Amino acid sequence: MNALRRLRCIAPMSRPYDLPYALLALAAAFLLGGCASPPSAALPPAPPPTAPAALPAFSADEVAWSTTAGSATVLGVARVGSNTTHTCAGAEAQLVPASPFATAMMRTVFGNATRGYVTIASSPPYPRTIPPDFPRSIRRVACSPSGEYRFEGVPAGTYYLFANVVWREGDEAMPRGGALMRRIDVHEQTELRVVLQP
């Protein structure tokens, strides 16, 4: 199965470990689908890519607070584009409880831990190993046909709101779009509306 087929399979993110593999597929689709430039005697070979920095250990106890029943609602839309808007329709929105591991992972992938957008073409770095307990801590909801999401019963705390927005233009072989992230603070008995966009 080539990278583009993997991307299509991963985009709905129905498996419990799809957050890391979705981002990894975005990078793989570009790396495996690109064309190499012709060799040049005037230029030295490119240095090998730098491996992502090691992340801190993940402990499920650090995010146990996020597994309790809460009273907050987080809702909004995930979209990319100006003239033509593309959304997360057909995929998922995810709430990742903040932890040292999650924060370091967001900084590795997005370059910061506040807000970001990485495209397929940018080939973002991504950790090669993900602790098995980490994906289990993530809340997931399906995006509506209009790209809207809604999380109910969310406990108070700090989260990373995440979604993939991927589409194709005409007959192009390479998908466009990428992954969106935003750090949010959730409070009990409140409704937080977030437009997730670049």
Side-chain angles (χ1 to χ4, degrees), residues 75-78 87-89 91 93 141-150 193:
L75 71 163
V77 63
T87 72
C88 63
V141 294
C143 291
S144 74
S146 58
E148 296 176 331
Y149 61 84
R150 187 182 185 94
R193 186 177 298 271

Side-chain angles (χ1 to χ4, degrees), residues 39-49:
S40 171
L43 298 175

Side-chain angles (χ1 to χ4, degrees), residues 106-147:
M106 298 304 169
R107 285 179 178 147
T108 298
V109 176
F110 294 95
N112 71 86
T114 303
R115 183 174 182 172
Y117 173 59
V118 291
T119 65
I120 295 171
S122 69
S123 185
Y126 200 82
R128 292 182 180 142
T129 58
I130 299 296
D133 286 344
F134 175 68
R136 300 188 190 112
S137 69
I138 299 169
R139 289 174 179 253
R140 306 162 184 270
V141 294
C143 291
S144 74
S146 58

Side-chain angles (χ1 to χ4, degrees), residues 30-40:
F30 175 72
L31 291 175
L32 299 181
C35 298
S37 301
S40 171

Side-chain angles (χ1 to χ4, degrees), residues 17-189:
Y17 50 83
D18 279 337
L19 169 69
Y21 285 88
L23 283 176
L24 186 59
L26 295 181
F30 175 72
L31 291 175
L32 299 181
C35 298
S37 301
S40 171
L43 298 175
T50 302
L55 300 183
F58 175 76
S59 170
D61 292 339
E62 294 174 336
V63 294
W65 54 268
S66 68
T67 64
T68 61
S71 58
T73 299
V74 179
L75 71 163
V77 63
R79 64 192 182 199
V80 173
S82 53
N83 295 332
T84 301
T85 299
H86 303 275
T87 72
C88 63
E92 287 182 349
Q94 303 178 2
L95 275 180
V96 183
S99 67
F101 179 87
T103 299
M105 184 181 70
M106 298 304 169
R107 285 179 178 147
T108 298
V109 176
F110 294 95
N112 71 86
T114 303
R115 183 174 182 172
Y117 173 59
V118 291
T119 65
I120 295 171
S122 69
S123 185
Y126 200 82
R128 292 182 180 142
T129 58
I130 299 296
D133 286 344
F134 175 68
R136 300 188 190 112
S137 69
I138 299 169
R139 289 174 179 253
R140 306 162 184 270
V141 294
C143 291
S144 74
S146 58
E148 296 176 331
Y149 61 84
R150 187 182 185 94
F151 295 89
E152 300 275 6
V154 180
T158 300
Y159 297 84
Y160 294 102
L161 181 59
F162 172 92
N164 278 330
V165 177
V166 178
W167 72 93
R168 292 179 186 273
E169 294 287 350
D171 297 329
E172 290 180 348
M174 180 63 63
R176 300 192 184 192
L180 293 157
M181 176 275 294
R182 185 168 174 181
R183 184 182 178 106
I184 61 173
D185 292 317
V186 176
H187 304 281
E188 293 290 349
Q189 298 182 343

